[in-house]
């Protein structure tokens, strides 16, 4: 899968993948680079749209990681 051109968003997508999320590259949708699907793999599972050129990439990357952390279908990572 091709990487996102922005380093902040690329790291957020890698973080989501490390938590069990699946990345699907968007095909022909305006402004959307891809979608992230949570590990639930069922109807009602969480979906995050990853934009190709957001106005502030750092904010979009933070939004992605917050959505991944808030997903009820993802197992929480223990704090050290």
């Amino acid at each position: 899968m091709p990487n996102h051109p922005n380093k902040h968003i690329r790291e957020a997508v890698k973080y989501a993948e490390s938590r069990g999320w699946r990345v699907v590259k968007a095909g022909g949708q305006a402004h959307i680079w891809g979608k992230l699907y949570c590990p639930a793999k069922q109807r009602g599972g969480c979906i995050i749209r990853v934009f190709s050129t957001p106005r502030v990439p750092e904010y979009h990357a933070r939004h992605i990681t917050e959505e991944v952390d808030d997903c009820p279908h993802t197992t929480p990572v223990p704090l050290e």
Side-chain angles (χ1 to χ4, degrees):
M1 158 155 284
N3 288 329
H4 194 279
N6 181 275
K7 67 178 181 177
H8 302 289
I9 298 173
R10 186 170 47 243
E11 290 300 318
V13 169
K14 286 181 185 178
Y15 174 75
E17 287 180 306
S18 73
R19 301 288 305 275
W21 287 63
R22 185 170 46 100
V23 180
V24 176
K25 182 81 169 80
Q29 294 180 348
H31 306 294
I32 297 178
W33 176 83
K35 292 183 182 179
L36 297 169
Y37 293 91
C38 82
K41 294 183 182 171
Q42 64 186 8
R43 182 173 289 209
C46 302
I47 301 172
I48 302 172
R49 293 180 299 162
V50 180
F51 297 111
S52 56
T53 55
R55 182 168 288 160
V56 182
E58 293 84 358
Y59 292 163
H60 187 51
R62 186 176 350 159
H63 171 75
I64 292 169
T65 56
E66 288 173 355
E67 288 291 318
V68 169
D69 290 340
D70 291 343
C71 174
H73 309 108
T74 305
T75 55
V77 175
L79 298 174
E80 296 180 337

